């Protein structure tokens, strides 16, 4: 069963269980500053788990592209990837543990669906702690389905608890499903959750049944939700009898392209194979980030920085394979051709993807050349050191000033019979990290979005701003991105020239007039077609499901959006544009606050 078959079967199964299919969303979360990338299928659904009605109903299913870079060092082992696809089904106040687990079990083991032998399925459930009881209910359901006691593991919070990312909010125990790959156990303590590769986690059913209070206590919720996530690559590996996600069919053409450009064959030498797998993963992730509807390009900040790290790490492993010049184009084209039928945005953005990869390769190769030249200059002096140790601060300066990766300094040192004071380097590096936390990745777990009043108000102000920009600058203005924190909103839109001070004032005044007018904010659910006929703004065409929510603010603004929003514009306060600047070619960025 290929990844494509699995994706189709999953959706088909949940459709047959009265779920509605909804479209997956962008990899770049909108209006959620708690994570840089969409890290789980549930992430775009957080507002609905928190209580917003979903236009498609209470039982949903979808597939979602995800990025997690928290385990980037483990990429290349049998189960870790930075980019992956997650299948999911949701109950928004509808079914709960019994139905969710029963459906999971049926889909996994029924010959009509995946047909995995029940004998190799193990599960984990929450063991309980001080004020939260053990999840006997889930364990009971597993038992009733025939999973024997010795394959039901009760594990603590670190394994079987989900959310909230912040201090308060919905959270609950989860139950995870593992498949025994048949590998030898790594020791007597080897169990599901062990990283040795014997057990593959394929599915996680999360039961949001508590609301964590500000005083740290847990309150049971009346409206309970289920959030499940099944990794496509891991499950496909199991179904194909493979011991590694890199052995499934989607990686074959990518690996072939890397073999072709490097002249190295895969499968003969573990070190070479590791580099090939890391390149495959990083190229696939980079193509999806560059090809996203809200496409990101390499930079030194936020998502752009992660993208840069992925591309540069791929290039470094390319050098390990003996590749000197540019080489990412062919593997990237392989990724696009495998996925374009399911993710048409990749084909639409193919030129941008290939161009940005080539530019980043050029930039990094230049950096490497400059760093190497600098190293050569320093070398005679360094060689005078009788211990043949390169001081950490010298290695750090190469890194900090020239962007020269420490691993390459180490390589050059080795070639010249020297070592690096790695401790000194790490100390200098940590100090630098503390100073420049800004570009760092914030959180890798599926953050529960900030749903505070301030965020709602800024979200409402964003709609007013969008409409005001269209009235003042023209209807060519389209939303290109939006990011809201509790302090400010940031809005990217298509417009080629910088705004004049008069234009900025006019937009600001127009938004403030709407706030003074205290317009009611109302929501209705309709099909996307109706919404567009009705004149609602909707710019992310392909990622909406059939039924959408349309938020209307008086006669002024009408826009398709997930919400949530303030109830009246009068609640917003005074709207102030703090900055207007370029974001990328043809895109301007506004930063604004509510005072
Ligand atoms: N949120 C859970 C996960 O990511 C289930 O979707 O594993």
């Amino acid at each position: 069963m290929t990844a494509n078959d699995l994706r189709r079967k999953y959706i088909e199964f949940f459709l047959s269980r009265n779920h509605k299919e909804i479209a997956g969303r962008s990899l770049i979360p909108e209006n959620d500053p708690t994570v840089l990338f969409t890290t789980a299928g549930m992430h775009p659904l957080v507002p609905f788990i928190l209580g917003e009605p979903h236009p498609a109903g209470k039982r949903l299913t979808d597939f979602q592209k995800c990025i997690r870079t928290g385990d980037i060092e483990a990429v290349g082992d049998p189960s870790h990837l930075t980019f992956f696809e997650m299948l999911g089904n949701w109950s928004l106040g509808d079914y709960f543990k019994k139905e969710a687990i029963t459906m999971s079990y049926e889909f996994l083991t029924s010959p009509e669906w995946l047909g995995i032998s029940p004998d190799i399925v193990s599960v984990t459930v929450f063991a309980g702690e001080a004020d939260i009881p053990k999840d006997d209910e889930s364990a009971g359901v597993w038992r009733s389905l025939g999973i024997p006691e010795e394959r039901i593991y009760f594990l603590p919070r670190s394994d079987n608890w989900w959310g909230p990312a912040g201090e308060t909010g919905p959270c609950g125990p989860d139950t995870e499903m593992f498949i025994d790959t048949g590998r030898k156990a790594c020791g007597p303590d080897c169990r599901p959750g062990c990283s040795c590769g014997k057990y593959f986690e394929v599915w996680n059913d999360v039961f949001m049944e508590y609301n964590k209070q500000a005083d740290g206590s847990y309150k049971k919720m009346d409206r309970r939700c289920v959030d499940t996530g099944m990794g496509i690559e891991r499950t496909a590996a199991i179904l194909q009898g493979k011991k590694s996600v890199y052995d499934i069919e989607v990686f074959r053409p990518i690996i072939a392209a890397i073999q072709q450009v490097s002249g190295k064959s895969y499968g003969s030498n573990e070190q070479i194979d590791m580099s090939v797998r890391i390149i495959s993963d990083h190229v696939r992730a980079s193509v999806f980030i560059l090809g996203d509807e809200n496409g990101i390009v390499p930079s030194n900040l936020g998502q752009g920085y992660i993208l840069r790290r992925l591309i540069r790490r791929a290039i470094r492993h390319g050098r390990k394979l003996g590749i000197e010049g540019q080489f990412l184009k062919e593997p990237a084209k392989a990724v696009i051709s495998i996925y374009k039928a399911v993710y048409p945005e990749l084909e639409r953005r193919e030129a941008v993807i290939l161009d940005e990869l080539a530019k980043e390769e050029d930039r990094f190769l230049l950096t490497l050349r400059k760093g190497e030249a600098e190293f050569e200059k320093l070398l005679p002096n360094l060689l005078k050191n009788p211990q043949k140790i390169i001081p950490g601060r010298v290695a750090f300066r190469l890194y900090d000033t020239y962007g020269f990766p420490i691993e390459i300094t180490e390589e050059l040192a080795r070639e010249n019979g020297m070592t690096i004071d790695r401790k000194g380097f790490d100390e200098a590096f940590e100090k630098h990290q503390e100073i420049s936390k800004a570009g760092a990745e914030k959180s890798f777990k599926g953050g529960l979005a900030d749903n505070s009043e301030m965020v709602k108000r800024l979200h409402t102000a964003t709609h007013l701003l969008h409409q005001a920009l269209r009235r003042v600058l023209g209807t060519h203005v389209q939303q290109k991105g939006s990011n809201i924190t509790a302090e400010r909103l940031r809005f990217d839109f298509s417009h080629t020239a910088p705004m004049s001070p008069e234009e900025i004032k006019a937009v600001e005044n127009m938004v403030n007039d709407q706030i003074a007018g205290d317009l009611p904010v109302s929501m209705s659910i309709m099909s996307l077609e109706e919404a567009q006929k009705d004149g609602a703004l909707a710019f992310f065409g392909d990622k909406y499901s059939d039924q959408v929510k349309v938020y209307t603010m008086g006669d002024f603004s009408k826009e398709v959006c997930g919400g949530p929003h303030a109830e009246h514009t009068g609640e917003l306060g005074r709207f102030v544009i703090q900055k207007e600047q370029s974001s990328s070619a043809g895109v301007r960025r506004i930063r604004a606050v509510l005072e």
Side-chain angles (χ1 to χ4, degrees), residues 109-401:
T109 61
S110 158
E112 201 189 322
W113 301 99
L114 300 190
I116 294 174
S117 160
D119 298 342
I120 57 169
V121 177
S122 298
V123 301
T124 61
V125 293
F126 184 55
E129 62 183 44
D131 46 352
I132 311 162
K134 180 169 162 187
D135 188 7
D136 274 324
E137 189 182 343
S138 294
V141 180
W142 285 119
R143 271 183 219 113
S144 74
L145 291 166
I147 302 287
E149 206 60 45
E150 67 273 16
R151 281 193 269 118
I152 302 176
Y153 294 79
F154 287 89
L155 300 179
R157 173 179 288 262
S158 50
D159 292 83
N160 285 91
W161 189 263
W162 189 273
E167 294 297 304
T168 57
C171 51
D174 60 39
T175 180
E176 300 188 359
M177 286 147 263
F178 291 82
I179 307 297
D180 188 339
T181 58
R183 280 172 191 249
K184 243 182 87 195
C186 64
D189 295 332
C190 188
R191 56 152 175 88
C194 172
S195 61
C196 78
K198 177 174 174 59
Y199 295 100
F200 257 43
E201 181 200 332
V202 291
W203 208 346
N204 185 9
D205 288 359
V206 181
F207 304 116
M208 301 285 181
E209 60 178 321
Y210 296 98
N211 198 340
K212 188 174 179 197
Q213 312 289 301
D215 65 5
S217 65
Y218 292 88
K219 214 171 125 194
K220 279 245 179 193
M221 293 194 293
D222 295 332
R223 180 183 168 281
R224 302 175 305 181
C225 294
V226 177
D227 142 40
T228 95
M230 167 183 272
I232 288 197
E233 292 81 355
R234 290 184 184 182
T235 310
I238 294 291
L239 294 168
Q240 294 172 24
K242 307 290 189 199
K243 293 201 162 76
S244 159
V245 288
Y246 295 93
D247 293 337
I248 65 175
E249 85 291 349
V250 292
F251 281 103
R252 228 168 283 143
I254 308 173
I255 290 177
I258 299 168
Q259 293 191 104
Q260 181 83 32
V261 284
S262 66
K264 297 278 191 302
S265 63
Y266 184 68
S268 45
N269 168 306
E270 179 49 26
Q271 242 184 347
I272 290 179
D273 292 354
M274 190 60 154
S275 288
V276 171
R277 289 193 294 262
I278 290 173
I279 297 168
S280 319
D281 170 82
H282 290 6
V283 169
R284 195 169 73 124
S286 302
V287 165
F288 271 93
I289 298 172
L290 286 163
D292 193 83
E293 307 87 306
N294 295 335
I296 292 287
V297 294
S299 73
N300 284 330
L301 216 76
Q303 290 100 342
Y305 175 68
I306 304 294
L307 173 60
R308 169 159 286 167
R309 256 175 54 197
L310 288 167
I311 299 173
R312 294 190 170 198
R313 199 151 176 266
I315 298 170
R316 261 175 32 221
H317 282 276
R319 286 168 63 101
K320 286 195 182 176
L321 298 179
I323 306 171
E324 290 288 339
Q326 285 195 6
F327 73 101
L328 295 175
K329 183 172 172 186
E330 291 309 318
K333 278 165 83 173
V335 176
I336 297 170
S337 84
I338 299 159
Y339 285 104
K340 65 185 181 195
V342 182
Y343 298 100
E345 63 271 23
L346 298 184
E347 192 170 31
R348 276 201 300 273
R349 288 178 59 87
E350 174 158 4
V352 178
I353 296 170
L354 299 180
D355 185 48
E356 288 294 337
L357 281 175
K359 282 200 292 205
E360 187 62 15
E361 286 190 277
D362 273 346
R363 276 189 295 253
F364 190 48
L365 294 172
L366 189 67
T367 299
L368 293 178
R369 270 203 295 281
K370 276 198 198 146
E372 273 159 3
E374 185 61 22
F375 185 88
E376 294 298 328
K377 252 198 271 165
L378 297 172
L379 192 59
N381 242 328
L382 294 172
L383 284 169
K384 287 188 192 136
N385 176 326
Q387 277 113 32
K388 301 273 177 276
I389 295 175
I390 300 178
R393 62 179 162 73
V394 172
F396 184 72
R397 196 158 58 81
L398 281 170
Y399 166 80
D400 192 35
T401 317

Side-chain angles (χ1 to χ4, degrees), residues 423-542:
K423 207 170 148 251
F425 173 85
D426 289 342
E427 275 163 18
F429 184 81
E430 262 160 43
K431 219 160 103 199
H432 165 89
Q433 290 285 82
E434 276 163 30
I435 299 166
S436 64
K437 271 216 173 96
E441 212 166 344
K442 283 181 194 152
S443 152
F444 304 103
K445 265 230 157 187
L448 290 175
D450 186 349
N451 203 19
S452 65
E453 287 309 311
M454 197 56 202
V455 167
K456 278 191 208 172
R457 286 185 202 127
L458 284 162
H459 197 172
T460 305
T462 300
H463 283 214
L464 298 177
L465 169 63
H466 189 183
Q467 183 59 27
L469 286 167
R470 290 170 60 87
R471 294 218 179 157
V472 173
L473 301 177
T475 49
H476 61 278
V477 168
Q478 294 196 350
Q479 172 168 342
K480 287 290 171 191
S482 159
N483 175 296
I484 297 173
T485 71
E487 282 80 42
R488 52 97 183 124
L489 68 83
R490 209 176 68 196
F491 188 72
D492 291 356
F493 58 101
S494 47
H495 185 59
T496 41
M499 287 172 71
S500 69
E502 295 72 35
E503 285 168 336
I504 293 177
K505 204 70 239 153
V507 168
E508 208 175 68
N509 288 343
M510 193 178 286
V511 172
N512 280 318
D513 286 346
Q514 309 314 313
I515 295 175
D518 196 18
L519 309 178
V521 179
S522 64
M523 186 271 283
S524 49
I525 295 177
M526 58 186 85
S527 71
L528 183 58
E529 232 189 331
E530 281 173 275
Q532 276 166 333
K533 234 187 271 157
D534 218 16
L537 299 179
F539 288 120
F540 301 98
D542 55 1

